[in-house]
Amino acid sequence: MSLVGPMPASIFNLSSLKEISLYNNSVSGSIPSNIGACSNLKKLVLSFNRFNGFIPRSIGNLTKLEEIYLGDNDVEGEIPWEIGNLLSLEIFSAKNMRLVGRIPASIFNLTSLKEIYLYSNSLSGSITDNMCYSLLKLEVFYVFDNEFSGRIPSNIGDCNNLRNLSLSFNRFSGLIPKSIGNLTKVEEIYLSYNNIEGEIPWEIGNLNSLEILGALSTRLSGLIACAIFNISALKIINLSNNSLSGKLPHLSSASNLEELYLWTNNLSGNIPESISNVSKLRILELEGNSFYGLIPNTFGNLRFLEKLRLDINHLTTKASTHEWNFFYSLKSCKHLRYLDLSSNALNGILPTSISNLSTSLQYLLIRDCKIRGSIPMEIGSLSNVTLLDLSSNKLSGPIPTTLGRLKNLQLLLLYGNKLQGSIPYDLCGLKGLYKISLGDNELDGPLPTCLCDLTSLRYLYLFSNKLHSTIPLTFWSLKYILEIDLSSNNLSGSLPLDIGNLKVLNLASNILQGPIPESFGDLMSLKYWKGKSQVEVPF
């Protein structure tokens, strides 16, 4: 209702009032200290306002209160112990504020409590092992993004009605308690960004209702328990950035799995063929491990696949043929928008079957894969690609003119190859290009004069090639460009420079004539300038 100003204390003199809801206004000032006078109040909603100060202790007098929503305000200080007097309380929400200190032990005695939302505060200390002794009805326990420490309560499994548990972004340490396997009704578990360590307890395999398991960026080690992938209800697993080792378990039973994140671990072995049986999989991220062997030819069975990241592993192609057979299967993945195979020793030649990849593809990264031969002309079929990265390979031959068909292309990264010939004028039709990196190749010929038409261009790297002739005057009309590196070529010309945003300019090992213009001194944002030239510097 766009209400502003403080909340009148007189409201709480209305002894018959059962509900107060001021959700999503701009009410300011402190919560009135006489709030406890409203003795029949059952529901209090003050969230999404501008309240400040502290939670008044008199709130403990509202003994009929069933729901409290105080979150998204500027309230600070500790949670008053008197909250523990609210024996009828079912929902306590005080999220996204500036609360400090411990959760009062009195809260854990509220036998009616079903939902606790205390996330995004600065609460600290440990959580008692006996938290579930009285909270037998607890269904939601969201305390992520705080400063809690100590161990996860060893008897957490006694909260056997728990559906949602989020302890992420805290300082919990020690092991995941085995009693977690008693939470047979739990649907979501979030443990990410803590200092918990050790193995994932196999007891988690008992959680037949579990849909989401998140333990990203902790210190977990050991094998991934096979029992986890036997939970048919699982939709999302994120165990990335840990020290998990061993092989990826058999996956056929994870029939409803949609997202699997295991990046940056120590997993090894072959990628199991059984992964193709997880027919609902949309996102698969296995990058940053030690998987080896062939990329399965059966990825095409994953008809809903949107994102596939296999980069930074030891995957190879057949030593005898170096054929990329898996490319043929990917043509069935009609929703694929992100494919990263970088930093694998795939060898071989980029196949013409690249044209079979989905027209939904937006990101294609095959950097540092030791691929050789030419870039196939068929690459021009990837009409929706916005990022193309084939850098740091052994590609040779010309840059295909069909790249000019990629009208959505924003980043073109081909540096560190052996590409030859001239820069095709067809690139000038890509009006959305933001970055071009063609450095460290064997390109020759002149700079295309039409580069000045690329008004979206901010970064241009053409260093260490064999480009020659005069830098066209139109080149300097790229007013919004930030970085240019034309070093180690055979270019010549003068500098009619008037590029106010330029931060990096490298023209070393070229021959420039004439004085550097006075306007060069106006480039206040220039951070790096390097030039080896026959010029006169005006300052």
Side-chain angles (χ1 to χ4, degrees), residues 102 105 108 126-132 151-155:
R102 294 174 174 266
F108 298 119
S126 60
I127 296 177
T128 175
D129 273 346
N130 297 322
M131 67 164 282
C132 296
R151 295 177 178 269
I152 298 172
S154 60
N155 296 325

mmCIF file of all heavy atoms in Angstrom, residues 102 105 108 126-132 151-155:
data_model
loop_
_atom_site.group_PDB
_atom_site.id
_atom_site.type_symbol
_atom_site.label_atom_id
_atom_site.label_comp_id
_atom_site.label_asym_id
_atom_site.label_seq_id
_atom_site.Cartn_x
_atom_site.Cartn_y
_atom_site.Cartn_z
ATOM 1 N N ARG A 102 23.675 -16.120 19.113
ATOM 2 C CA ARG A 102 23.207 -17.492 18.963
ATOM 3 C C ARG A 102 21.689 -17.556 18.770
ATOM 4 O O ARG A 102 20.979 -16.603 19.094
ATOM 5 C CB ARG A 102 23.570 -18.311 20.200
ATOM 6 C CG ARG A 102 25.065 -18.514 20.404
ATOM 7 C CD ARG A 102 25.335 -19.206 21.711
ATOM 8 N NE ARG A 102 26.741 -19.530 21.857
ATOM 9 C CZ ARG A 102 27.280 -20.705 21.522
ATOM 10 N NH1 ARG A 102 26.500 -21.664 21.027
ATOM 11 N NH2 ARG A 102 28.568 -20.930 21.675
ATOM 12 N N ALA A 105 18.371 -21.097 22.969
ATOM 13 C CA ALA A 105 18.017 -22.501 23.191
ATOM 14 C C ALA A 105 16.520 -22.683 23.423
ATOM 15 O O ALA A 105 15.953 -23.746 23.138
ATOM 16 C CB ALA A 105 18.797 -23.049 24.385
ATOM 17 N N PHE A 108 14.267 -24.060 20.616
ATOM 18 C CA PHE A 108 14.264 -25.499 20.328
ATOM 19 C C PHE A 108 13.327 -26.279 21.250
ATOM 20 O O PHE A 108 13.239 -27.507 21.146
ATOM 21 C CB PHE A 108 15.690 -26.045 20.416
ATOM 22 C CG PHE A 108 16.619 -25.417 19.410
ATOM 23 C CD1 PHE A 108 17.736 -24.701 19.818
ATOM 24 C CD2 PHE A 108 16.360 -25.508 18.051
ATOM 25 C CE1 PHE A 108 18.592 -24.119 18.898
ATOM 26 C CE2 PHE A 108 17.211 -24.929 17.112
ATOM 27 C CZ PHE A 108 18.325 -24.226 17.539
ATOM 28 N N SER A 126 27.318 -22.465 17.793
ATOM 29 C CA SER A 126 26.950 -23.813 17.345
ATOM 30 C C SER A 126 25.452 -24.035 17.541
ATOM 31 O O SER A 126 24.771 -23.265 18.217
ATOM 32 C CB SER A 126 27.743 -24.856 18.126
ATOM 33 O OG SER A 126 27.480 -24.738 19.506
ATOM 34 N N ILE A 127 24.965 -25.073 16.911
ATOM 35 C CA ILE A 127 23.559 -25.464 17.073
ATOM 36 C C ILE A 127 23.547 -26.751 17.893
ATOM 37 O O ILE A 127 24.234 -27.719 17.571
ATOM 38 C CB ILE A 127 22.886 -25.669 15.704
ATOM 39 C CG1 ILE A 127 22.859 -24.333 14.940
ATOM 40 C CG2 ILE A 127 21.474 -26.216 15.869
ATOM 41 C CD1 ILE A 127 22.282 -24.420 13.553
ATOM 42 N N THR A 128 22.767 -26.741 18.950
ATOM 43 C CA THR A 128 22.788 -27.843 19.903
ATOM 44 C C THR A 128 22.470 -29.187 19.256
ATOM 45 O O THR A 128 21.617 -29.285 18.351
ATOM 46 C CB THR A 128 21.795 -27.575 21.049
ATOM 47 O OG1 THR A 128 21.745 -28.721 21.892
ATOM 48 C CG2 THR A 128 20.397 -27.292 20.516
ATOM 49 N N ASP A 129 23.146 -30.217 19.735
ATOM 50 C CA ASP A 129 22.892 -31.574 19.243
ATOM 51 C C ASP A 129 21.459 -32.018 19.523
ATOM 52 O O ASP A 129 20.936 -32.909 18.858
ATOM 53 C CB ASP A 129 23.862 -32.554 19.909
ATOM 54 C CG ASP A 129 25.174 -32.662 19.143
ATOM 55 O OD1 ASP A 129 25.222 -32.210 17.994
ATOM 56 O OD2 ASP A 129 26.140 -33.203 19.704
ATOM 57 N N ASN A 130 20.832 -31.396 20.512
ATOM 58 C CA ASN A 130 19.484 -31.800 20.921
ATOM 59 C C ASN A 130 18.387 -30.969 20.259
ATOM 60 O O ASN A 130 17.261 -30.950 20.746
ATOM 61 C CB ASN A 130 19.349 -31.688 22.448
ATOM 62 C CG ASN A 130 20.298 -32.618 23.169
ATOM 63 O OD1 ASN A 130 20.511 -33.740 22.725
ATOM 64 N ND2 ASN A 130 20.877 -32.149 24.269
ATOM 65 N N MET A 131 18.715 -30.302 19.155
ATOM 66 C CA MET A 131 17.732 -29.395 18.551
ATOM 67 C C MET A 131 16.442 -30.120 18.161
ATOM 68 O O MET A 131 15.370 -29.525 18.138
ATOM 69 C CB MET A 131 18.324 -28.676 17.333
ATOM 70 C CG MET A 131 18.641 -29.551 16.131
ATOM 71 S SD MET A 131 18.884 -28.598 14.615
ATOM 72 C CE MET A 131 17.190 -28.236 14.140
ATOM 73 N N CYS A 132 16.529 -31.388 17.867
ATOM 74 C CA CYS A 132 15.348 -32.107 17.393
ATOM 75 C C CYS A 132 14.566 -32.785 18.515
ATOM 76 O O CYS A 132 13.535 -33.403 18.253
ATOM 77 C CB CYS A 132 15.747 -33.160 16.359
ATOM 78 S SG CYS A 132 16.470 -32.462 14.856
ATOM 79 N N ARG A 151 29.830 -28.524 14.736
ATOM 80 C CA ARG A 151 29.401 -29.652 13.917
ATOM 81 C C ARG A 151 27.907 -29.577 13.592
ATOM 82 O O ARG A 151 27.141 -28.963 14.333
ATOM 83 C CB ARG A 151 29.702 -30.968 14.644
ATOM 84 C CG ARG A 151 31.193 -31.209 14.843
ATOM 85 C CD ARG A 151 31.456 -32.474 15.621
ATOM 86 N NE ARG A 151 32.890 -32.714 15.748
ATOM 87 C CZ ARG A 151 33.617 -33.433 14.884
ATOM 88 N NH1 ARG A 151 33.015 -33.999 13.860
ATOM 89 N NH2 ARG A 151 34.906 -33.599 15.068
ATOM 90 N N ILE A 152 27.541 -30.183 12.509
ATOM 91 C CA ILE A 152 26.119 -30.365 12.220
ATOM 92 C C ILE A 152 25.547 -31.233 13.337
ATOM 93 O O ILE A 152 26.157 -32.243 13.704
ATOM 94 C CB ILE A 152 25.930 -31.038 10.851
ATOM 95 C CG1 ILE A 152 26.503 -30.149 9.735
ATOM 96 C CG2 ILE A 152 24.456 -31.326 10.586
ATOM 97 C CD1 ILE A 152 26.522 -30.824 8.375
ATOM 98 N N PRO A 153 24.407 -30.849 13.924
ATOM 99 C CA PRO A 153 23.868 -31.626 15.051
ATOM 100 C C PRO A 153 23.851 -33.120 14.761
ATOM 101 O O PRO A 153 23.297 -33.565 13.747
ATOM 102 C CB PRO A 153 22.457 -31.054 15.219
ATOM 103 C CG PRO A 153 22.564 -29.653 14.722
ATOM 104 C CD PRO A 153 23.545 -29.696 13.591
ATOM 105 N N SER A 154 24.456 -33.876 15.655
ATOM 106 C CA SER A 154 24.607 -35.323 15.426
ATOM 107 C C SER A 154 23.269 -36.043 15.371
ATOM 108 O O SER A 154 23.143 -37.094 14.742
ATOM 109 C CB SER A 154 25.483 -35.934 16.520
ATOM 110 O OG SER A 154 24.901 -35.727 17.803
ATOM 111 N N ASN A 155 22.254 -35.480 16.039
ATOM 112 C CA ASN A 155 20.933 -36.111 16.056
ATOM 113 C C ASN A 155 19.957 -35.436 15.102
ATOM 114 O O ASN A 155 18.749 -35.477 15.326
ATOM 115 C CB ASN A 155 20.365 -36.093 17.482
ATOM 116 C CG ASN A 155 21.195 -36.925 18.439
ATOM 117 O OD1 ASN A 155 21.729 -37.954 18.047
ATOM 118 N ND2 ASN A 155 21.320 -36.473 19.680
#
